[in-house]
Every structure is written in C-alpha cells, then in structure tokens.
Amino acid sequence: MKISSVKNFIFTFSICFVLALALYPDSTLNPEQYSTAGLELDYNISADLAMVPDLDLPNEDDYTPHLGKSFDGFKEALGFKESRGDYFTVNTLGYLGKYQFGAETLKLLGIYNPNFFLNNPELQEKAFIANAERNKWILRKDIKRFQGKTISGVKITESGILAAAHLAGPGSVKKFLRSYGGNNFSDAYGSTVKYYMKKFAGYDTSSIKPKKKAKAVL
C-alpha cells in the first residue's frame, strides 16, 4: 500500500467516525470496533522515508543552493559555508556577518564601523562584491597563469581562487599556486586554501571585474 493510500484511508475513516458520532449522539458506538489493531497493513516505508523531517536539514558539506553555478550560487554557497548565511553572527575570533569579514579587511574596503556593518545586510553584500573585485585585481596574473591547470589534485578555476582569497587573503593564494600546492594555508578552524579551491570550483564569476581600489559604498 502506498503512503498516499494509507493517508486517504485514515482520513476517510476519521471523517466517517466523526459523522457517525454527530448523527447518533445517543448510540453506544464502541471505538474499539473500528480499531486497525491486528490488521496487516503493508506501508512499504523505507527507513529513509521514515526519517523524512531530517531529509530537509542540509549540512555544511552537502548544501548546494538552488542557483546552480551562477554568481549568486557562488556567493550564497560561500556565505553558507562561512556562517550558514547569518548576517548577524560574530565568530569566536571576531569575524563578522554572513561572509565573516575581519575588521582590517573591512578598513581596506572603506568600512570603519564594525557594528554598523554587522547590522546592515546590504552593506555586507556590497563588501563581498568589493572584496572579490579587489582580490581579482591582485590575482589577475595568477588567474590567467593557473586557471585550468591541476595543482595538488585540484582543478584551478577563477571562482576557486576567489573563494580561497576570501578565506585566506590573496597573498596566501599566490603562495599556494606558485608553490604548486606546497604552501597550503590553514585557518584557525582547519579550512585550507586547497579545500576552498576545490569546494568552490566552477562557478561563474565573470561578472566580477578586477578593481584595484574597490570600496563598499551604500
């Protein structure tokens, strides 16, 4: 019996039972006469389906926004990795917001009030764009040189480079690429340049234009 059939049976039974009580209030209906106890009902529900509520809970490793490999997909996937998409969070090291910016990086982007930044999602989105533009300018030669190559088992793409630069800064990305994977920066939580290169590979970041002095302006 399919799940939908079981649901229909239970629903129909419930309606009939309520109507009977309404039409014959003085009768001595015995609910036990209508029990399904002892019946062999073949639900055919697998163990996976029995845990349906858990199927809707994404975890950090397999979450993929329904935006494909677009730029929006790139920034939402990165934002989820950094903070699970929470604009108002501060981690144990003091990094702020959805994309986990440090105060020094914010200064480079023209943002000097961390509290205002933390409470302004629009500014956080603009900061993400500006930071990507700045990193793309700094890494423009490395993108041209290494894009399409395989380093330490990872195919190098522009989006992977920009994601790794967001994690570790463009200097750490240069060291990884130019050492052919020998210098692999790891942050305080164990995330590495190589891991970000692989996890965020293949997104379309062509809309990001290299800009030397990119600023986040409302």
Side-chain angles (χ1 to χ4, degrees), residues 2-59:
K2 294 182 178 180
I3 296 175
S4 59
S5 298
V6 174
K7 289 182 178 179
N8 290 335
F9 169 76
I10 295 173
F11 178 75
T12 303
F13 168 77
S14 300
I15 293 298
C16 291
F17 184 74
V18 171
L19 288 175
L21 289 176
L23 293 173
Y24 304 99
D26 298 328
S27 64
T28 55
L29 289 175
N30 183 2
E32 293 184 357
Q33 295 177 350
Y34 301 92
S35 172
T36 58
L39 296 179
E40 294 183 2
L41 300 177
D42 182 10
Y43 289 87
N44 294 326
I45 301 176
S46 68
D48 290 339
L49 287 177
M51 300 296 290
V52 166
D54 290 337
L55 296 180
D56 294 329
L57 298 176
N59 62 57

Side-chain angles (χ1 to χ4, degrees), residues 106-174:
L106 291 178
K107 290 177 183 178
L108 293 174
L109 303 175
I111 300 170
Y112 301 96
N113 188 330
N115 287 329
F116 179 74
F117 172 81
L118 184 63
N119 290 286
N120 195 314
E122 182 182 359
L123 183 58
Q124 291 188 35
E125 293 295 335
K126 288 182 178 296
F128 179 81
I129 300 295
N131 191 53
E133 291 173 337
R134 178 177 174 275
N135 287 337
K136 191 168 181 176
W137 186 86
I138 295 171
L139 292 163
R140 64 196 185 282
K141 294 180 180 179
D142 296 274
I143 291 171
K144 183 177 181 180
R145 176 182 174 186
F146 292 102
Q147 186 172 216
K149 294 183 178 180
T150 298
I151 294 178
S152 193
V154 177
K155 185 176 181 179
I156 305 303
T157 65
E158 181 179 283
S159 62
I161 288 174
L162 294 180
H166 183 87
L167 169 74
S172 294
V173 174
K174 284 178 180 285

